[in-house]
Amino acid sequence: MTGKISSISDSRLGIARLLLKLVLLGAGSAVLVLLALVVIPDENDYAMVSVDKHARLAADVPRKLVFVGGSNLSYGLDSVAVERELGVFVVNMGLNAHLGLRFMLDEVKPALRPGDSVVLSLEYEVFFQPVDGYGMDQLALVKVRPSSLRYLRTWGQWRGVVKALQLAVQEKLERTIRAAIGQPRRMKPYVELKTQVETRAGTNEYGDLTSHLAMKWPYPLWRDRGLKVPTFNSDCVAVLRRFEEEMRNRGVRVLYVHPPVNRSYYEDEKEAIELAHTRLREGVPFEIAAPARYVFPDAMFFDMVYHLNAEGRAVRTARVIADLRPHLTALTTIPPRPTAR
């Protein structure tokens, strides 16, 4: 009997040792992955712009006007002119629509105070993609600003970032090995030029990208795959409604302006764009001008749909100022919405 007990004990001890080895192996692998992610540099430093944007967002000022959206804002807004004309501290948080609606809203919430205003300008693709966004784009910001982990609030977001982590490490290791053997990866010319445009140094203190303003893009205007009406994501409207209610109860005004698009894109995607506009008007108490107000000639765009060149940026900014002025001069704070009885 004693022999059997001893055998069982030895068996359990062996299992425990095996589990411990597996845990240590997993922990060691995780450490190596993190080291590769941190030690091997990225191909450019544009993600660092997020650090600068959050530093400005955290400024202790009486009133802030915060623009939230994707790259249509970084490429196509003159925040200096907006601040000068409207007399309010401006922060341009626009960076990448693939971060997802939930992430873009959650990252500005903690810094908003009574009297502040938020201007949403969301690329139409946002309404036809997951609310949780894409892990690779979120990972890029988390790497340079680890505190951004707190904006990952759902299992879908965490799963996307974990998957992206593996791909990012593989890409960095492959790039490092190629460089070591003298066979660097060759990027397509337009991709390489893009990495020269989107840099931290090419972005001003407000969060506006300015490096493209004096440049003429030598390649055709690029556009996404297109918007498919059946894939409209109604969750986006629900998320926006909750955000507006929360901000209103905090005394923060929420406004909306459509993103700029070129004429040919608007004509091709008019059904989907108007659907997004209608659902917004029905679902959220925003004051929203028609999408056509922000449709501009193709010649006013830089490299793709949503990205304005210097001329287009000036025209769009003037229109945004005109649309916001009546709302920002009416009240400095917004009373909380009355509680339903």
Side-chain angles (χ1 to χ4, degrees), residues 161-201:
V161 168
V162 170
K163 287 183 178 179
L165 184 65
Q166 179 183 358
L167 294 174
V169 171
Q170 288 176 352
E171 185 276 329
K172 285 193 172 192
L173 290 175
E174 179 185 347
R175 176 157 46 88
T176 302
I177 293 170
R178 282 180 173 274
I181 63 176
Q183 294 182 354
R185 186 183 64 171
R186 296 186 181 277
M187 290 188 287
K188 294 179 179 179
Y190 66 88
V191 175
E192 184 174 359
L193 183 56
K194 188 81 165 181
T195 64
Q196 296 173 27
V197 172
E198 293 186 343
T199 65
R200 189 181 194 182

Side-chain angles (χ1 to χ4, degrees), residues 304-323:
M304 66 164 293
V305 175
Y306 300 121
H307 292 178
L308 292 164
N309 59 22
E311 180 187 6
R313 178 177 181 258
V315 174
R316 189 268 186 108
T317 297
R319 204 158 291 184
V320 167
I321 291 170
D323 287 349

Side-chain angles (χ1 to χ4, degrees), residues 29 59 61 93 103 126 140 146 164 188-189 191 199 204 238 257 276 292 299 303 314 329:
S29 299
V61 294
M93 291 296 293
F103 188 98
V126 168
K188 294 179 179 179
V191 175
T199 65
N204 68 18
V257 295
D303 64 328
T329 56

Side-chain angles (χ1 to χ4, degrees), residues 59-65 87-89 112-117 251 332-333:
D60 185 12
V61 294
R63 293 175 64 200
K64 291 193 291 284
L65 179 62
V88 62
F89 187 88
L112 296 173
R113 303 288 182 268
D116 291 344
S117 298
T332 56
T333 58

Side-chain angles (χ1 to χ4, degrees), residues 88-153:
V88 62
F89 187 88
V90 174
V91 185
N92 185 349
M93 291 296 293
L95 190 59
N96 186 346
H98 287 160
L99 290 169
L101 180 59
R102 197 187 305 278
F103 188 98
M104 289 189 286
L105 297 179
D106 283 345
E107 72 170 341
V108 300
K109 281 182 184 180
L112 296 173
R113 303 288 182 268
D116 291 344
S117 298
V118 176
V119 180
L120 302 173
S121 186
L122 305 172
E123 285 79 355
Y124 294 110
E125 276 77 8
V126 168
F127 299 98
F128 297 85
Q129 68 184 24
V131 176
D132 283 346
Y134 298 98
M136 188 63 75
D137 302 280
Q138 294 162 354
L139 176 62
L141 301 194
V142 168
K143 286 189 297 181
V144 300
R145 188 174 180 271
S147 59
S148 291
L149 281 169
R150 60 178 169 160
Y151 311 132
L152 304 178
R153 300 181 183 275

